[in-house]
mmCIF file of all heavy atoms in Angstrom:
data_model
loop_
_atom_site.group_PDB
_atom_site.id
_atom_site.type_symbol
_atom_site.label_atom_id
_atom_site.label_comp_id
_atom_site.label_asym_id
_atom_site.label_seq_id
_atom_site.Cartn_x
_atom_site.Cartn_y
_atom_site.Cartn_z
ATOM 1 N N ILE A 313 -16.957 -25.274 2.510
ATOM 2 C CA ILE A 313 -15.655 -25.114 2.964
ATOM 3 C C ILE A 313 -15.619 -25.213 4.484
ATOM 4 O O ILE A 313 -14.555 -25.648 5.089
ATOM 5 C CB ILE A 313 -15.060 -23.661 2.550
ATOM 6 C CG1 ILE A 313 -13.627 -23.566 2.817
ATOM 7 C CG2 ILE A 313 -15.938 -22.503 3.095
ATOM 8 C CD1 ILE A 313 -12.903 -22.405 2.303
ATOM 9 N N ASN A 314 -16.704 -24.808 5.183
ATOM 10 C CA ASN A 314 -16.795 -25.033 6.616
ATOM 11 C C ASN A 314 -16.811 -26.525 7.067
ATOM 12 O O ASN A 314 -15.993 -26.999 7.892
ATOM 13 C CB ASN A 314 -17.997 -24.376 7.185
ATOM 14 C CG ASN A 314 -18.047 -24.412 8.646
ATOM 15 O OD1 ASN A 314 -18.909 -25.054 9.229
ATOM 16 N ND2 ASN A 314 -17.178 -23.739 9.302
ATOM 17 N N ARG A 315 -17.523 -27.385 6.295
ATOM 18 C CA ARG A 315 -17.794 -28.697 6.674
ATOM 19 C C ARG A 315 -16.374 -29.450 6.335
ATOM 20 O O ARG A 315 -15.871 -30.210 6.965
ATOM 21 C CB ARG A 315 -18.743 -29.385 5.826
ATOM 22 C CG ARG A 315 -19.098 -30.705 6.193
ATOM 23 C CD ARG A 315 -20.291 -31.336 5.266
ATOM 24 N NE ARG A 315 -19.803 -31.275 3.938
ATOM 25 C CZ ARG A 315 -20.597 -30.717 2.913
ATOM 26 N NH1 ARG A 315 -21.711 -30.166 3.020
ATOM 27 N NH2 ARG A 315 -20.155 -30.763 1.659
ATOM 28 N N GLU A 316 -15.891 -29.108 5.058
ATOM 29 C CA GLU A 316 -14.651 -29.989 4.625
ATOM 30 C C GLU A 316 -13.308 -29.406 5.169
ATOM 31 O O GLU A 316 -12.390 -30.252 5.395
ATOM 32 C CB GLU A 316 -14.587 -29.995 3.108
ATOM 33 C CG GLU A 316 -15.674 -30.756 2.426
ATOM 34 C CD GLU A 316 -15.450 -30.934 0.977
ATOM 35 O OE1 GLU A 316 -14.311 -30.739 0.448
ATOM 36 O OE2 GLU A 316 -16.431 -31.290 0.339
ATOM 37 N N LEU A 317 -13.225 -28.117 5.315
ATOM 38 C CA LEU A 317 -11.898 -27.611 5.691
ATOM 39 C C LEU A 317 -11.977 -26.747 7.038
ATOM 40 O O LEU A 317 -10.901 -26.196 7.399
ATOM 41 C CB LEU A 317 -11.380 -26.638 4.613
ATOM 42 C CG LEU A 317 -11.312 -27.355 3.212
ATOM 43 C CD1 LEU A 317 -10.836 -26.400 2.187
ATOM 44 C CD2 LEU A 317 -10.348 -28.510 3.166
ATOM 45 N N SER A 318 -13.119 -26.837 7.604
ATOM 46 C CA SER A 318 -13.292 -26.134 8.948
ATOM 47 C C SER A 318 -12.976 -24.700 8.926
ATOM 48 O O SER A 318 -12.535 -24.017 9.929
ATOM 49 C CB SER A 318 -12.424 -26.831 10.076
ATOM 50 O OG SER A 318 -12.726 -28.095 10.141
ATOM 51 N N TRP A 319 -13.162 -24.138 7.788
ATOM 52 C CA TRP A 319 -12.938 -22.571 7.618
ATOM 53 C C TRP A 319 -14.182 -21.828 7.807
ATOM 54 O O TRP A 319 -15.220 -22.266 7.270
ATOM 55 C CB TRP A 319 -12.350 -22.245 6.290
ATOM 56 C CG TRP A 319 -12.064 -20.883 6.172
ATOM 57 C CD1 TRP A 319 -10.934 -20.103 6.482
ATOM 58 C CD2 TRP A 319 -13.005 -19.759 5.684
ATOM 59 N NE1 TRP A 319 -11.139 -18.799 6.301
ATOM 60 C CE2 TRP A 319 -12.388 -18.478 5.823
ATOM 61 C CE3 TRP A 319 -14.329 -19.882 5.264
ATOM 62 C CZ2 TRP A 319 -13.032 -17.327 5.392
ATOM 63 C CZ3 TRP A 319 -14.914 -18.640 4.858
ATOM 64 C CH2 TRP A 319 -14.333 -17.428 4.957
ATOM 65 N N SER A 320 -14.181 -20.783 8.623
ATOM 66 C CA SER A 320 -15.206 -19.803 8.615
ATOM 67 C C SER A 320 -14.589 -18.422 8.878
ATOM 68 O O SER A 320 -13.426 -18.415 9.474
ATOM 69 C CB SER A 320 -16.146 -20.112 9.781
ATOM 70 O OG SER A 320 -15.592 -20.218 10.916
ATOM 71 N N PRO A 321 -15.225 -17.376 8.549
ATOM 72 C CA PRO A 321 -14.631 -16.034 8.683
ATOM 73 C C PRO A 321 -14.493 -15.798 10.131
ATOM 74 O O PRO A 321 -15.301 -15.993 10.960
ATOM 75 C CB PRO A 321 -15.581 -15.095 8.016
ATOM 76 C CG PRO A 321 -16.912 -15.808 7.974
ATOM 77 C CD PRO A 321 -16.600 -17.188 7.856
ATOM 78 N N LYS A 322 -13.397 -15.034 10.482
ATOM 79 C CA LYS A 322 -13.046 -14.648 11.900
ATOM 80 C C LYS A 322 -13.487 -13.287 12.205
ATOM 81 O O LYS A 322 -13.765 -12.946 13.337
ATOM 82 C CB LYS A 322 -11.584 -14.911 12.309
ATOM 83 C CG LYS A 322 -11.152 -16.302 12.186
ATOM 84 C CD LYS A 322 -9.721 -16.480 12.929
ATOM 85 C CE LYS A 322 -9.175 -17.873 12.729
ATOM 86 N NZ LYS A 322 -8.546 -17.994 11.282
ATOM 87 N N CYS A 323 -13.315 -12.425 11.189
ATOM 88 C CA CYS A 323 -13.512 -11.003 11.500
ATOM 89 C C CYS A 323 -14.881 -10.531 11.128
ATOM 90 O O CYS A 323 -15.337 -10.725 10.018
ATOM 91 C CB CYS A 323 -12.414 -10.188 10.675
ATOM 92 S SG CYS A 323 -12.380 -8.502 10.985
ATOM 93 N N SER A 324 -15.611 -9.840 12.125
ATOM 94 C CA SER A 324 -16.879 -9.325 11.787
ATOM 95 C C SER A 324 -16.782 -8.113 10.877
ATOM 96 O O SER A 324 -15.781 -7.433 11.021
ATOM 97 C CB SER A 324 -17.597 -9.077 13.075
ATOM 98 O OG SER A 324 -16.944 -7.949 13.723
ATOM 99 N N PHE A 325 -17.916 -7.731 10.335
ATOM 100 C CA PHE A 325 -17.939 -6.482 9.465
ATOM 101 C C PHE A 325 -17.674 -5.355 10.490
ATOM 102 O O PHE A 325 -16.818 -4.460 10.064
ATOM 103 C CB PHE A 325 -19.209 -6.329 8.752
ATOM 104 C CG PHE A 325 -19.164 -5.219 7.804
ATOM 105 C CD1 PHE A 325 -18.472 -5.173 6.624
ATOM 106 C CD2 PHE A 325 -19.837 -3.950 8.214
ATOM 107 C CE1 PHE A 325 -18.435 -4.132 5.708
ATOM 108 C CE2 PHE A 325 -19.759 -2.937 7.277
ATOM 109 C CZ PHE A 325 -19.070 -2.866 6.066
#
Side-chain angles (χ1 to χ4, degrees):
I313 190 170
N314 182 250
R315 189 184 58 234
E316 291 190 13
L317 305 176
S318 301
W319 179 88
S320 58
K322 291 194 188 82
C323 184
S324 68
F325 185 78

